[in-house]
């Protein structure tokens, strides 16, 4: 504040035990508590938005890997943190990545369940580029490898991610890559 700076956005911690789809009940309870506490801290700092990874299932035990199960867990976790975000005036922004749990269609479906301004999207240009230009690389780059190795199917290539997400975009991560991997 002394330097005239203000934090306006933050990024939540992320990883297999911290993402919204984390599967194990004990981890989920801690993740909800941690996210709600993070919301309180960033509100104190005057932050308006927080970007959160919904997560993916590639590091989960096999019995927890269904995309549908992951979406259910994402929605359950959001139902437990959005009331705090609403109370504090913070927008939780879920981010597009290159997994089936992070496609624009899935994110839009999740948003339909939560008609609140406390939930929006973070558009990540580099992640979108992987889902569009990865097809130009051997094995489809990071996007192609994930879909083929973990889901056993061809990836969905999409050159309209920004347009699809646009009505709900609140903030952006702007970085570029060559379509092969997320270099930031």
């Amino acid at each position: 504040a002394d330097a005239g700076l203000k934090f306006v956005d933050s990024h939540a911690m992320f990883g297999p035990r911290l993402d919204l789809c984390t599967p194990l009940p004990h981890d989920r309870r801690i993740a909800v508590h941690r996210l709600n506490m993070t919301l309180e801290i960033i509100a104190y700092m005057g932050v308006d938005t927080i970007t959160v990874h919904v997560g993916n299932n590639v590091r989960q035990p096999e019995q927890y890997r269904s995309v549908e199960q992951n979406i259910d867990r994402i929605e359950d976790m959001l139902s437990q943190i959005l009331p705090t975000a609403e109370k504090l005036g913070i927008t939780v922004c879920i981010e597009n990545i290159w997994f089936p749990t992070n496609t624009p269609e899935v994110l839009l479906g999740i948003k339909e369940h939560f008609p609140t301004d406390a939930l929006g999207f973070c558009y990540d240009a580099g992640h979108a580029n992987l889902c569009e230009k990865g097809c130009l690389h051997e094995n489809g780059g990071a996007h192609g490898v994930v879909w083929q190795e973990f889901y056993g199917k061809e990836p969905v290539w999409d050159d309209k991610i920004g347009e699809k997400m646009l009505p709900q975009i609140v903030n952006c991560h702007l970085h570029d890559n060559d379509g092969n991997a997320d270099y930031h």
Side-chain angles (χ1 to χ4, degrees):
D2 292 344
L5 299 175
K6 179 183 186 285
F7 290 105
V8 294
D9 181 50
S10 64
H11 199 300
M13 294 174 282
F14 59 91
R17 299 177 78 181
L18 302 168
D19 293 334
L20 297 179
C21 69
T22 189
L24 303 177
H26 180 263
D27 291 345
R28 292 181 64 69
R29 282 191 301 277
I30 292 171
V32 166
H33 178 70
R34 184 175 283 156
L35 279 166
N36 280 321
M37 187 171 50
T38 299
L39 291 170
E40 295 281 351
I41 292 167
I42 66 173
Y44 175 77
M45 296 171 65
V47 173
D48 302 315
T49 65
I50 184 169
T51 298
V52 177
H53 286 191
V54 298
N56 61 70
N57 64 354
V58 298
R59 294 187 184 141
Q60 294 175 350
E62 194 168 330
Q63 68 269 31
Y64 295 103
R65 291 188 182 171
S66 153
V67 172
E68 293 75 20
Q69 285 178 321
N70 277 277
I71 293 169
D72 289 345
R73 287 192 293 271
I74 292 162
E75 291 176 348
D76 175 63
M77 187 88 75
L78 285 170
S79 73
Q80 296 180 66
I81 65 168
L82 287 176
T84 303
E86 287 174 331
K87 177 185 79 170
L88 297 169
I90 295 172
T91 303
V92 173
C93 301
I94 51 179
E95 181 177 355
N96 60 295
I97 305 185
W98 57 91
F99 294 88
T101 50
N102 310 108
T103 66
E105 291 76 17
V106 169
L107 298 179
L108 286 163
I110 292 168
K111 175 61 180 160
E112 283 181 21
H113 287 95
F114 300 97
T116 173
D117 289 340
L119 180 64
F121 293 164
C122 172
Y123 171 72
D124 188 301
H127 295 167
N129 195 49
L130 297 179
C131 299
E132 177 185 353
K133 300 287 191 298
C135 63
L136 303 175
H137 295 274
E138 185 178 344
N139 298 324
H143 181 61
V145 168
V146 164
W147 282 63
Q148 290 168 11
E149 287 188 13
F150 294 101
Y151 302 103
K153 59 184 175 182
E154 278 297 309
V156 174
W157 301 108
D158 193 343
D159 64 350
K160 302 284 188 236
I161 292 174
E163 293 88 338
K164 291 174 182 178
M165 293 175 63
L166 187 58
Q168 304 300 330
I169 294 174
V170 175
N171 63 21
C172 298
H173 290 168
L174 300 176
H175 62 100
D176 198 7
N177 56 50
D178 65 1
N180 187 47
D182 196 10
Y183 301 131
H184 289 100

